[in-house]
């Protein structure tokens, strides 16, 4: 089984202390519908950055940015839906509420808390072992962003409601076009085999990102490569720049996905010579690993898989309540929490 090939860089069990084992996932994220990466109704514009177009091509272009939080939050929520469904979210001892994101009361015991980390107001903290970075669009923002005037009329067919109030929904809204590719490097630190399966499942099965996600924001994620190493590999920005160079002309939206995948794979093939890389999965091994993940997440095996993963933290749960009782005392309940959105 291909997941075994990664064993030199996988932890055999969860440990409190890091041991320098890195697994890098190369992810291509492609929008399948109009997508909006900003806080709904906030009026802020889409996030973009001026960067060099390629590694060798030194033109400066403005690229769209999919921030780390826009990636991780929906993926965490996906996993947590299943933890909830299989009764694997714990009750927080401080206020007896069930573990939830964006509150001062993470349970500090569930799979999500152990993997993605938490910073609780009550004194406990767990560093996330999933390191994400901003993902960049391959093409310039000007090519991949559209403007749409939202012309919302009321049911009476006019721009005014029964009380004569004008519709406030008339405005111009920026959106990311369908078929836009973001390249992304996700680094996993000291994870176990089952943790790896859980994280990859969250990435592959999450299909909605960004604001107003029930109506827009459909996105397809594919994993193009997996590396094991003793250090972090090149950044998402370096990957997107090298791929830009490798793509050749013409570079216009929409880019053919197979062309993008070929160029990206060509770039990451050279990474096996990078300092610190000990394992690179071949295409066939990658396919096997993905089907291994799909099997573990399948209807037939999901319950066993998630419960086994949850059980693996058991030895580390027992100390938590005592420790927090002491440390939590007198802490301000309004301590800021790290917010995922
Ligand atoms: Zn939790």
């Amino acid at each position: 089984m291909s997941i075994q090939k990664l064993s030199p860089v996988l932890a055999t069990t969860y440990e409190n202390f890091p041991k320098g084992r890195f697994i890098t996932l190369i992810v291509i994220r492609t929008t399948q519908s109009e997508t909006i990466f900003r806080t709904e109704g906030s009026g802020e514009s889409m996030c973009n950055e001026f960067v060099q177009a390629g590694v060798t091509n030194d033109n400066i272009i403005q690229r769209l940015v999919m921030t780390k939080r826009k990636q991780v939050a929906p993926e965490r929520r996906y996993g947590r839906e299943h933890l909830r469904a299989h009764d694997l979210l714990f009750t927080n001892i401080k206020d007896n509420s069930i573990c939830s994101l964006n509150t001062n009361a993470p349970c500090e015991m569930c799979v999500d808390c152990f993997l993605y980390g938490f910073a609780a107001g009550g004194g406990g903290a767990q560093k996330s072992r999933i390191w994400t970075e901003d993902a960049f669009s391959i093409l310039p923002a000007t090519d991949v962003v559209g403007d749409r005037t939202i012309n919302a009329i009321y049911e009476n067919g006019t721009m005014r409601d029964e009380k004569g109030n004008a519709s406030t929904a008339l405005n111009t809204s920026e959106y990311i076009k369908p078929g836009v590719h973001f390249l992304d490097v996700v680094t996993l630190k000291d994870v176990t085999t089952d943790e790896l399966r859980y994280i990859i499942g969250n990435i592959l099965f999450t299909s909605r990102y960004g604001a107003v996600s029930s109506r827009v924001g459909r996105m397809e994620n594919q994993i193009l490569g997996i590396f094991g190493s003793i250090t972090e590999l090149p950044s998402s920005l370096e990957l997107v720049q090298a791929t830009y160079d490798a793509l050749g002309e013409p570079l216009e939206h929409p880019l053919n996905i197979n062309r993008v995948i070929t160029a990206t794979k060509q770039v990451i093939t050279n990474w096996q010579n990078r300092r610190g890389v000990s394992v690179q999965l071949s295409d066939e091994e990658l396919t096997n690993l993905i089907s291994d993940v799909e099997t573990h997440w399948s209807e037939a095996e999901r319950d066993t898989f998630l419960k086994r993963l949850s059980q693996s933290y058991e030895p580390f749960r027992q100390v938590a309540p005592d420790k927090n009782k002491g440390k939590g005392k007198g802490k301000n309940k309004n301590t800021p929490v790290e917010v995922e959105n």
Side-chain angles (χ1 to χ4, degrees):
M1 230 186 346
S2 308
I3 210 157
Q4 252 69 56
K5 194 176 172 189
L6 288 166
S7 51
V9 284
L10 282 165
T12 45
T13 167
Y14 169 78
E15 293 165 67
N16 281 329
F17 296 99
K19 284 198 174 156
R21 290 164 291 206
F22 290 81
I23 290 180
T24 304
L25 311 177
I26 310 303
V27 186
I28 180 170
R29 304 174 181 278
T30 307
T31 55
Q32 305 286 320
S33 72
E34 293 176 14
T35 303
I36 302 168
F37 291 144
R38 59 174 158 71
T39 312
E40 195 172 349
S42 65
E44 64 185 289
S45 61
M46 212 81 76
C47 192
N48 40 50
E49 274 314 330
F50 284 101
V51 291
Q52 196 165 302
V55 177
T56 48
N57 182 331
D58 61 1
N59 290 332
I60 300 298
I61 60 169
Q62 194 170 20
R63 282 200 159 98
L64 269 181
V65 178
M66 184 182 184
T67 62
K68 328 175 239 256
R69 290 189 191 287
K70 294 291 178 216
Q71 303 163 37
V72 171
E75 289 163 11
R76 282 185 80 166
R77 278 198 292 268
Y78 180 84
R80 293 174 63 94
E81 281 178 24
H82 291 281
L83 295 180
R84 190 174 295 111
H86 293 261
D87 262 337
L88 296 170
L89 289 177
F90 289 72
T91 303
N92 175 276
I93 49 155
K94 276 160 256 159
D95 62 2
N96 275 327
S97 60
I98 197 96
C99 184
S100 61
L101 279 179
N102 301 343
T103 65
N104 267 318
C107 71
E108 309 181 17
M109 292 189 194
C110 70
V111 175
D112 181 78
C113 282
F114 268 98
L115 254 179
Y116 289 85
F118 56 84
Q126 163 83 43
K127 269 190 92 146
S128 173
R129 284 175 288 136
I130 296 141
W131 297 0
T132 47
E133 33 183 315
D134 293 344
F136 294 86
S137 61
I138 297 170
L139 294 176
T142 45
D143 293 7
V144 297
V145 170
D147 268 328
R148 192 178 301 295
T149 302
I150 300 173
N151 194 354
I153 50 172
Y154 287 101
E155 272 198 61
N156 61 15
T158 75
M159 294 298 295
R160 291 190 180 271
D161 65 12
E162 310 91 277
K163 291 173 192 146
N165 300 319
S167 167
T168 52
L170 177 66
N171 57 19
T172 313
S173 178
E174 276 188 327
Y175 66 92
I176 303 166
K177 295 174 182 174
V180 174
H181 310 287
F182 292 85
L183 291 177
D184 197 9
V185 175
V186 179
T187 308
L188 314 178
K189 189 78 200 304
D190 297 297
V191 297
T192 64
T193 311
D194 277 344
E195 286 178 329
L196 178 66
R197 291 179 174 124
Y198 180 80
I199 298 160
I200 292 180
N202 285 353
I203 293 174
L204 290 181
F205 304 140
T206 300
S207 55
R208 298 269 171 179
Y209 291 81
V212 285
S213 53
S214 62
R215 275 177 279 169
V216 295
R218 188 87 162 79
M219 186 170 259
E220 175 80 21
N221 297 320
Q222 267 177 274
I223 295 181
L224 303 185
I226 299 187
F227 293 86
S229 63
I230 54 164
T231 181
E232 273 195 274
L233 295 183
S235 65
S236 296
L237 181 58
E238 269 181 276
L239 172 63
V240 90
Q241 288 170 325
T243 305
Y244 187 91
D245 286 337
L247 271 167
E249 303 289 330
L251 281 170
E252 55 191 32
H253 180 77
L255 283 174
N256 176 293
I257 187 156
N258 293 325
R259 195 178 146 208
V260 177
I261 290 174
T262 306
T264 311
K265 285 193 170 176
Q266 186 188 323
V267 168
I268 61 175
T269 304
N270 301 324
W271 286 10
Q272 67 200 9
N273 303 321
R274 288 267 174 167
R275 193 174 47 185
V277 172
S278 55
V279 191
Q280 180 183 14
L281 297 193
S282 66
D283 278 355
E284 194 194 343
E285 289 163 337
L286 184 61
T287 309
N288 291 342
L289 190 148
I290 303 294
S291 63
D292 169 292
V293 169
E294 281 167 351
T295 308
H296 279 81
W297 274 93
S298 69
E299 198 58 40
E301 294 195 23
R302 194 166 59 238
D303 189 60
T304 315
F305 162 60
L306 291 176
K307 283 184 174 151
R308 181 177 71 213
L309 174 56
S310 177
Q311 179 66 28
S312 70
Y313 304 114
E314 196 51 35
F316 301 91
R317 282 185 185 126
Q318 283 142 12
V319 288
D322 279 352
K323 184 189 78 186
N324 289 326
K325 250 180 223 161
K327 281 192 177 171
K329 234 175 241 170
K331 284 264 178 172
N332 185 351
K333 266 202 155 176
N334 298 320
T335 314
V337 277
E338 227 184 320
V339 175
E340 305 275 12
N341 54 21

